[in-house]
Amino acid sequence: MNKKIHAPISHEEAADLRAGDYVYITGTIYTARDAAHKRMQETLDRGEPLPLDLKNNVIYYMGPSPARKGRPIGSAGPTTASRMDKYTPRLLDLGLGAMIGKGKRSQAVKDAIVRSGSVYFAAVGGAGALLSKRILSSEVIAYDDLGTEAIRRLEVEDFPAVVVIDSLGNDLYETAVLQYRKQEA
Amino acid sequence: MDQEEERILRTIQTREITENIREMCIEANHFLSQDMCRVFYQAAEKEESPLGKQILEQLKENLQIAGEDRIPICQDTGMAVIFLKIGQEVHFEGDSLADVVNQGVREGYTDGYLRKSVVKDPIERENTKDNTPAVIHYEIVDGDQVEITVAPKGFGSENMSRVFMLKPADGIEGVKNAILTAVKDAGPNACPPMVVGVGIGGTFEKCALMAKHALTRNLEEESPVPYVRDLEKEMLDKINRLGIGPGGLGGTVTALAVNIETYPTHIAGLPMAVNICCHVNRHVRRVI
Ligand code: SF4
């Protein structure tokens, strides 16, 4: 089903989404990938506050290419989410609303998604030019020294994504593949 | 003797290589080769899943935007893999070959607004900020020309690639299973629909290099070896029956092509490698 949704995403709104829903996201989201996750983890370990409030917010696993003049951002598609699995349950337990990435998640992440009532979206990998056009503005808010891996606040409009893991723990990567698997000829 | 040499050797100024590589890095990241586009468009027609179709449509639109608005097809503009086939009658003049190649990559990635994804050391991981160094494969061949292939490689799919040291007794069935295992494990992480490069034979490193090189072969060209040609077709069919589909979200278009290279090997072994590439299978070739 095609749905239009807003970010940040409350747990009540997340509860309405089902694996397989095609959504268009409008609102504010934040980018963070490998190096930013490592730093957020170290910050939490030291008992210090994170550079962004996680509550209901959406993290997009993405490191853009540089923006050309007059554009807010360069190519901006998702990166592989599983590399963030190690850090994710803790962020979900702190209130993270949703994640956008590509690829499978660990059982620990799925459990944390269900526990916290969150949701995992996939954006189409390798559609960085198209997704770039759905980003209206981009501003580095933390870890500027990490370059492409810095944390950015993005304003997005009709950003296309697919619900892969919903708050009930359904996983589209597992179910849809079975639906189209064919017996040996 | 001197005169004879002058007639045979062709002198190439190495700075010519820099300019070519600069342009090729930018071109490869904004435009796919024509064969790649045609195969992609044909495959899109065949997708059975509605969601899969929707995703393939997005990817088509993405290619169009990339070319028209000059936004890289994918934000992972890759590590620059460069194949240089150097005619043995070529004489280079100027700065060293590796330096001029890396200078081309540096200029291409900076001037072309491409992402700098290379770290100086695999453990310390400090970004080199200009996407150098490239991974350069040199080959000396007949003739007096230089063939340059620039193939920026994304790591979502690179990370899902594998080397299998099979036993001779595993035979062709072992090879088929290994390819399917690699593709299944790659699943959505490799941004399907994928292109699958396979190297069979040689040694540990030779098969990996063949698998990488196979990705740069024209997708509409078949292998000249009859059993390899059949194997390529059979594996493409088997992969597309796995159900992984576009984006890994289920469907019948999981791979666009399987390209296989082979080489003689040792009586005791059957090494093989599977280099997975996403649908952004980039390569530009020029001869100078
Ligand atoms: S695997 Fe390919 S399409 Fe996917 S993010 Fe990497 S380079 Fe882009």
Side-chain angles (χ1 to χ4, degrees):
Chain A
M1 200 160 65
N2 288 6
K3 290 180 179 169
K4 283 190 179 268
I5 59 173
H6 275 267
I9 298 175
S10 70
H11 290 160
E12 291 73 54
E13 287 162 319
D16 283 339
L17 298 171
R18 282 293 156 269
D21 286 350
Y22 196 100
V23 299
Y24 293 94
I25 304 170
T26 298
T28 306
I29 65 175
Y30 294 85
T31 69
R33 48 171 293 160
D34 307 57
H37 274 78
K38 184 159 181 271
R39 254 192 221 179
M40 286 197 283
Q41 162 110 329
E42 289 160 0
T43 305
L44 289 172
D45 285 346
R46 286 194 305 268
E48 291 166 13
L50 293 178
L52 76 158
D53 179 16
L54 291 176
K55 182 123 181 65
N56 293 348
N57 268 322
V58 179
I59 289 186
Y60 180 23
Y61 303 136
M62 191 275 285
S65 66
R68 277 183 188 274
K69 303 236 159 12
R71 294 263 326 133
I73 202 162
S75 194
T79 194
T80 305
S82 59
R83 293 193 315 270
M84 268 50 81
D85 281 358
K86 198 175 131 191
Y87 310 109
T88 300
R90 190 172 184 182
L91 303 184
L92 284 167
D93 288 337
L94 287 171
L96 179 64
M99 301 146 287
I100 309 173
K102 65 160 168 122
K104 295 180 182 166
R105 306 307 304 257
S106 68
Q107 192 56 48
V109 171
K110 286 192 206 179
D111 293 345
I113 289 174
V114 174
R115 185 164 70 230
S116 67
S118 163
V119 57
Y120 169 57
F121 300 104
V124 177
L130 179 138
L131 295 171
S132 171
K133 301 279 268 188
R134 309 294 169 95
I135 298 171
L136 307 180
S137 70
S138 160
E139 185 194 348
V140 173
I141 60 149
Y143 310 155
D144 200 9
D145 60 300
L146 294 180
T148 185
E149 296 205 56
I151 297 187
R152 290 174 167 78
R153 184 195 295 119
L154 308 180
E155 297 302 326
V156 299
E157 188 174 65
D158 287 334
F159 186 96
V162 177
V163 178
V164 170
I165 303 174
D166 63 25
S167 57
L168 299 179
N170 297 308
D171 184 344
L172 186 67
Y173 284 141
E174 283 169 11
T175 52
V177 167
L178 289 182
Q179 199 185 334
Y180 288 94
R181 181 166 297 168
K182 294 186 179 172
Q183 291 306 315
E184 283 292 304
Chain B
M1 188 64 202
D2 270 345
Q3 281 212 329
E4 176 107 349
E5 259 183 23
E6 258 173 49
R7 237 187 301 131
I8 299 173
L9 290 181
R10 177 181 165 221
T11 298
I12 293 180
Q13 300 296 330
T14 53
R15 64 169 178 274
E16 234 188 283
I17 306 236
T18 297
E19 186 49 27
N20 275 288
I21 288 185
R22 174 191 175 278
E23 290 171 7
M24 291 163 85
C25 288
I26 298 174
E27 184 184 333
N29 275 298
H30 291 87
F31 304 93
L32 293 182
S33 60
Q34 300 212 337
D35 55 298
M36 200 35 223
C37 288
R38 273 194 298 269
V39 170
F40 183 79
Y41 277 62
Q42 281 161 15
E45 297 292 309
K46 290 187 222 144
E47 178 54 58
E48 291 171 22
S49 146
L51 181 56
K53 260 196 187 330
Q54 208 168 346
I55 284 162
L56 291 172
E57 285 306 317
Q58 257 193 46
L59 293 177
K60 282 203 234 169
E61 197 187 332
N62 184 63
L63 282 178
Q64 204 183 336
I65 294 173
E68 284 171 7
D69 292 6
R70 284 301 190 128
I71 304 173
I73 304 167
C74 180
Q75 77 290 339
D76 183 357
T77 50
M79 187 161 193
V81 176
I82 293 173
F83 291 93
L84 289 178
K85 284 192 185 166
I86 302 165
Q88 60 191 17
E89 277 133 46
V90 169
H91 165 243
F92 287 112
E93 232 173 58
D95 291 343
S96 85
L97 205 47
D99 286 351
V100 294
V101 167
N102 282 319
Q103 183 59 22
V105 169
R106 184 173 295 124
E107 291 178 12
Y109 275 74
T110 309
D111 300 350
Y113 296 87
L114 305 178
R115 199 179 77 181
K116 324 301 181 283
S117 313
V118 174
V119 292
K120 205 175 287 175
D121 179 280
I123 302 301
E124 292 167 353
R125 309 199 73 82
E126 191 197 334
N127 199 299
T128 63
K129 300 206 167 77
D130 60 9
N131 222 52
T132 67
V135 173
I136 311 171
H137 302 292
Y138 304 92
E139 194 184 336
I140 307 294
V141 297
D142 279 340
D144 64 356
Q145 295 182 315
V146 178
E147 185 193 275
I148 309 172
T149 304
V150 173
K153 186 64 172 73
F155 259 58
S157 50
E158 192 72 354
N159 279 339
M160 307 318 286
S161 303
R162 302 270 297 271
V163 169
F164 300 84
M165 299 306 284
L166 301 180
K167 297 174 187 63
D170 293 327
I172 197 155
E173 287 309 315
V175 167
K176 291 179 191 174
N177 286 335
I179 296 173
L180 287 179
T181 301
V183 170
K184 266 191 245 171
D185 289 349
N189 294 17
C191 295
M194 318 171 196
V195 177
V196 183
V198 181
I200 311 173
T203 47
F204 179 75
E205 84 288 4
K206 176 71 181 172
C207 67
L209 187 53
M210 286 192 291
K212 173 75 74 208
H213 191 260
L215 291 173
T216 69
R217 193 180 89 201
N218 185 320
L219 297 189
E220 292 170 321
E221 255 168 41
E222 296 181 315
S223 165
V225 187
Y227 93 84
V228 176
R229 188 158 61 226
D230 293 344
L231 185 61
E232 287 175 347
K233 284 203 192 109
E234 180 185 340
M235 292 320 295
L236 180 60
D237 183 59
K238 285 210 161 95
I239 289 168
N240 284 333
R241 288 167 172 274
L242 291 174
I244 297 169
L249 298 168
T252 53
V253 178
T254 300
L256 300 172
V258 179
N259 281 3
I260 303 178
E261 290 187 11
T262 60
Y263 195 78
T265 190
H266 189 278
I267 48 173
L270 175 47
M272 66 165 288
V274 183
N275 196 191
I276 308 258
C277 193
C278 48
H279 57 88
V280 191
N281 179 28
R282 294 161 279 207
H283 46 266
V284 174
R285 191 166 280 145
R286 283 189 192 175
V287 176
I288 57 173

